[in-house]
Amino acid sequence: MNFKIIDRFISPYQKLVQNVVIPYQEKILNDEIPNIEKSHVINNFKYAAELIETGKTNGEFYGMIFQDSDAAKWLEAAAYSLGLTKDAELEKRCDVLIDLIGRAQHPDGYLNTYFTLKGMEKRWTNLCEAHEMYCAGHMMEAAVAYAKVTGKDKLIKIMENMADHIYERFITDGTEGYPGHPEIELAFMRMYDYTGNKKYLELAGHFINVRGVNPHFYGEEYKRSGWYVWGAHIHEPDYAQNNKPVRELTEATGHSVRAVYLYTAMADYARVTGDEALKNACEILWKNITQKRMYVTGAIGSAYEGEAFTADYHLPNDTAYAETCASIGLIFFARKMLALEKRGEYADVMERALYNCVLAGMQSDGTRFFYVNPLEVVPGISGAVKTHRHTLPERPTWFTCACCPPNVARLLASLNDYAWSAENGVIHSHLFIGGELDISGTHGGKVTVETDYPNGGEIRYTFKPDGEAMDITLAVRLPAWSKNTEIRFNGEAIKINNINGYVYIKKPYKNGDVLTVNLDMGIHRIYANPKVYANNGKTAFSRGPFIYCAEGADNDGEVLNLFIDKKRNAALIDDNKITADGYRVKNNGALYSFDAPLYEPYTITLTPYYTWGNRGLNEMRVWLPSV
Amino acid sequence: MNFKIIDRFISPYQKLVQNVVIPYQEKILNDEIPNIEKSHVINNFKYAAELIETGKTNGEFYGMIFQDSDAAKWLEAAAYSLGLTKDAELEKRCDVLIDLIGRAQHPDGYLNTYFTLKGMEKRWTNLCEAHEMYCAGHMMEAAVAYAKVTGKDKLIKIMENMADHIYERFITDGTEGYPGHPEIELAFMRMYDYTGNKKYLELAGHFINVRGVNPHFYGEEYKRSGWYVWGAHIHEPDYAQNNKPVRELTEATGHSVRAVYLYTAMADYARVTGDEALKNACEILWKNITQKRMYVTGAIGSAYEGEAFTADYHLPNDTAYAETCASIGLIFFARKMLALEKRGEYADVMERALYNCVLAGMQSDGTRFFYVNPLEVVPGISGAVKTHRHTLPERPTWFTCACCPPNVARLLASLNDYAWSAENGVIHSHLFIGGELDISGTHGGKVTVETDYPNGGEIRYTFKPDGEAMDITLAVRLPAWSKNTEIRFNGEAIKINNINGYVYIKKPYKNGDVLTVNLDMGIHRIYANPKVYANNGKTAFSRGPFIYCAEGADNDGEVLNLFIDKKRNAALIDDNKITADGYRVKNNGALYSFDAPLYEPYTITLTPYYTWGNRGLNEMRVWLPSV
């Protein structure tokens, strides 16, 4: 299966990633952008290589303990970019970087510039915080992506050596422990998927299975080693999802990125091994997140403290953590749940997170990023007062911890992997993205997708069989938000039988056959469960997959005093803006008054959430009070 | 002027303080209550005395660096209690404690058990955090209170020695610096008020005037000393109100208790000295607090981080810090503003803080206390998730930092000092508390006050002149919340002329003359300024000075899904409960839904906020959404 994206909405994003984000981040890795936090990541590899090759270096490590992963994530994004567009120069620079990475690897396979430069005697003594496996995992992901696109296996070989090193220590020698930040588990699954080598499946299973069996491991580890980075061992064990064995987890807790990375690996491992208990745990965790702990934008993580999940229905809008990387991880998890079982809700959430939280994470020019994606912003409070230091009202240029920007880049550049499944004569259309699906090898032809989605609701699938017909089932997702979906085959209406969120249309598809899907692109008002006490009496708006927000820029500078009229109209106007009848509330200026405020009619303008924060500092609100 | 409280509402509180709170806290000071955090404060004084007297001790200091202040605040409360009721045994125990305190004083006047036991070489090297002047200030307050009630001046003498020591160091020797936690400034003013010694006025003025002139003092101090307790020097200077010279302050910032303690001293110093610039700063700060940064319960401090003010209109209900001590400090500030100028708004705020936040700080049985007084409580979130660790849903037994309980005790036991002013032929009735005002010495008689206030709205002032008549002006506060106040003199209606929140009634008051005030005790709906974005579309209720709340205990266990009907009734029922027509909202169980929730009619029961949390763990909400 190969899906080439040619899409009015997504292709410009991919070009932005290719033309702006990846080159910009490459410059950052090389410390070529002035006036921003130094990266030093390439230098770290250079000094580590020098030390290994010559026994000495004058260079010093600089950056976060997981700085290596910035190189890995950039390489992975670059690999996807090469998959979209050949670029001999970029590929050459990737090869140079990979050579450098190889030179920074120790003879025993160990690869990590922090410990190489800071002292190898401390390696593997702080699994809780040191991110050695996290960095290795990201480098394995890059290796698989790069090998798939270029056919070059140098980085795969490097990471196979590192995997062998880990295998020897943690499986052969039986050293206790599991990584503080899950990541390598899903990476081992990707290594297994690409190489077929069961060793990687075993490694993934090992770290999934030992996790939380001894929930006190990190505390014990600290007692032995006596050193720490931030003191993460003093967090409760659910911070790193090691409070219980993973099959017993029932609530999404702790650091939200760690959580969804772990669940991604669990779902993938459950699929490959048929482990029902693990699958069951994944389903319970999925429900807990999506039915009780997820923002309407597909964001997760309610608290800055621990960058973490908090409690059911605790979804504050103005102090949300809602990290871009966590929503990306939720998309990873959803994709693996879809691989386990084709349920539209998984793709619905994938879409919700993508078109709202993740895209909002990036400035429209591709050079600035949000870590934190609040649903309510108040200049002077957001990013300013102590409880809101994290909810920046504008995207900063770069972060000391640069995890989100390259994560956005690698996701957007690899979206083709999320749009379709093709298995056993059935092809599932999960995401509505224009392009050409080539399934000649397995399903006898090609399918072209044309659409204005997500701004328009029509999706046209045109079939080009290799032979006379493609005798397949096309399964089209029926988004839960589309209350009236119509499907026509060569112009003739098809009755829709919704099976777990998909309609299955089996045909001998002939050349030029067209299946047209028309989704309900009406404006919807959304109401939160009353237990979400932050949103009592409030209304949000959506159209298609987009969640909307009100920004000061469209509303005479102020949105916090706007109320939606429950009974009156909302309408789509130019582009994808919505206007809704409402009121601007005015009071007598008193902090508290017995006089009911005055409601002056006002037409409220709403824009898709993903576009917010591109027009300077202003108020923003997703959930508007209503009268 | 002497006011003896005999009041159906306040007297039981004073008895609770005398019979339960003071004895309970005395036991705590002596470590006689099992299973709670050790106090050790008496032992600290014993060991310090032993060390000073014999040159050695085996005892060690234990507790917070400001542990001494617990003894001081208890002594002050005990002094007020002795003023209410003679108690030879209690007085004897106070004398024993004072003797012990005297023995723990160094020959040079220095008094502080922390530095005495931990090392005198460090004294005065960390004004930022070490609370030496804070402890001394509280002990001065106790000394003045104890001397006034008992006529015994031993503690006054002890603290005069300490004051001399401070004078020598900071004025005579010109040592730079000012205390991290303002307190001693207001205490010096009390010492001046009691002794008439201008040295104390000079000391108060000194520490008010040098504050913030060098905003970098704490950082410089840390560079010299190299030691810290919590690292408070890394806070921004506005944390301790030393960002600017005090006359330039325009916003209430930083640690809210420190702020209002400082402003109290500023207002008092401005009154005594006639310093218009200082008075002006106080008025600006007062307005900033009460018009932009105060909860409807009279609570202040919006953030746990720094226990601090945050920004205008940022008043989150569920994560409020709203410390009991801060509202007590606000009452101190209001009292001094009243002394500067008779404006009803000062007494209105004093009343609001007292009858809501402060009384809510104490369990109805007097043994448990809230530090933090949120306006919205959700079991499972409040006191549980990381952003809400401070907003406990039930009062704990004791705190490591035991500042609030003795602060409540000393305020309630000294409320007689807050009810009246009597100056130049005019007596101002600020708080409506039953009792007997004896102003024979200055105004020629007595005034008896009878009332059911705050539950009832009638207040009867009966005059008992020493001679034929008291030729005075009675100024009665006209609370801003009382929209229809009626006043009768011997049954005959008096036309009310509202002058800055008071009505001035000048009469030759004869024996048995009765002035009757009838306040409007109707139920009011309160609306917050729309800029308070936490409260958009929400309504609170009040009756008299009480702010109401809904608790689960009265509302079938759940209040977060209750909505007030804007257009329908609210009524007073048994005692002081209110019922209001409203709705319970139900949805289909989904986290987000396109289906508007169902509003089922429900009669909502509201109780005064000060009574909340006395019936087990349950949901609580002051601001209810409305439809």
Side-chain angles (χ1 to χ4, degrees), chain B residues 131-158:
Chain B
H131 284 66
E132 288 156 289
M133 288 201 236
Y134 173 88
C135 291
H138 273 299
M139 202 61 88
M140 288 177 196
E141 290 202 85
V144 170
Y146 197 71
K148 275 189 176 177
V149 166
T150 63
K152 295 175 183 170
D153 65 356
K154 176 155 188 181
L155 192 54
I156 284 277
K157 291 237 162 3
I158 293 167

Side-chain angles (χ1 to χ4, degrees), chain A residues 235 294-296 305 314 318 386-388 527-529 533 536-537 560 563 566 590-594 621 627, chain B residues 235 294-296 305 314 318 386-388 527-529 533 536-537 560 563 566 590-593 621 627:
Chain A
H235 281 287
M294 181 181 73
Y295 286 93
V296 73
E305 293 77 2
H314 178 239
D318 60 335
K386 288 190 177 178
T387 45
H388 292 62
Y527 307 92
N529 190 308
Y533 65 95
N536 293 143
L560 297 178
F563 281 64
K566 276 180 186 163
L591 183 55
Y592 303 112
S593 174
F594 291 164
R621 192 171 230 179
V627 285
Chain B
H235 282 287
M294 182 181 72
Y295 287 93
V296 73
E305 293 77 3
H314 178 239
D318 61 335
K386 288 189 177 179
T387 45
H388 292 61
Y527 308 92
N529 189 308
Y533 65 97
N536 293 143
L560 298 178
F563 280 65
K566 275 180 187 164
L591 183 55
Y592 303 112
S593 174
R621 192 171 229 179
V627 286

Side-chain angles (χ1 to χ4, degrees), chain B residues 371-569:
Chain B
Y371 252 50
V372 167
N373 298 279
L375 281 76
E376 187 164 70
V377 161
V378 189
I381 294 173
S382 302
V385 310
K386 288 189 177 179
T387 45
H388 292 61
R389 285 274 160 82
H390 60 292
T391 57
L392 303 181
E394 292 188 286
R395 296 172 188 82
T397 47
W398 195 249
F399 291 90
T400 312
C401 168
C403 64
C404 292
N407 238 351
V408 172
R410 70 180 180 133
L411 177 72
L412 292 178
S414 63
L415 268 183
N416 57 311
D417 286 339
Y418 297 80
W420 290 91
S421 298
E423 296 155 7
N424 308 324
V426 184
I427 60 170
H428 281 84
S429 176
H430 304 305
L431 296 182
F432 306 120
I433 300 175
E436 194 170 75
L437 178 71
D438 185 344
I439 41 175
S440 289
T442 54
H443 296 73
K446 291 177 181 172
V447 184
T448 303
V449 186
E450 293 165 289
T451 184
D452 276 331
Y453 194 83
N455 293 309
E458 184 174 292
I459 304 118
R460 286 165 55 88
Y461 300 87
T462 305
F463 294 82
K464 295 185 194 171
D466 295 331
E468 189 170 337
M470 296 167 74
D471 201 11
I472 60 168
T473 299
L474 170 63
V476 178
R477 178 170 61 99
L478 299 167
W481 53 257
S482 177
K483 292 300 173 192
N484 295 295
T485 301
E486 289 174 4
I487 301 185
R488 287 169 194 279
F489 180 66
N490 292 333
E492 200 165 313
I494 283 183
K495 191 171 174 292
I496 294 173
N497 183 19
N498 186 329
I499 300 172
N500 293 331
Y502 289 87
V503 55
Y504 290 81
I505 305 159
K506 184 168 166 50
K507 299 269 177 200
Y509 290 100
K510 302 209 178 72
N511 194 35
D513 278 353
V514 177
L515 192 109
T516 311
V517 176
N518 276 287
L519 300 170
D520 170 7
M521 296 301 280
I523 296 164
H524 292 286
R525 290 173 194 237
I526 307 179
Y527 308 92
N529 189 308
K531 289 177 180 163
V532 183
Y533 65 97
N535 293 342
N536 293 143
K538 292 181 185 167
T539 305
F541 284 84
S542 69
R543 179 178 175 267
F546 290 137
I547 301 299
Y548 278 69
C549 69
E551 272 194 283
D554 297 305
N555 293 285
D556 297 308
E558 290 181 33
V559 303
L560 298 178
N561 54 12
L562 295 179
F563 280 65
I564 294 290
D565 189 314
K566 275 180 187 164
K567 293 177 186 152
R568 295 183 62 211
N569 295 327

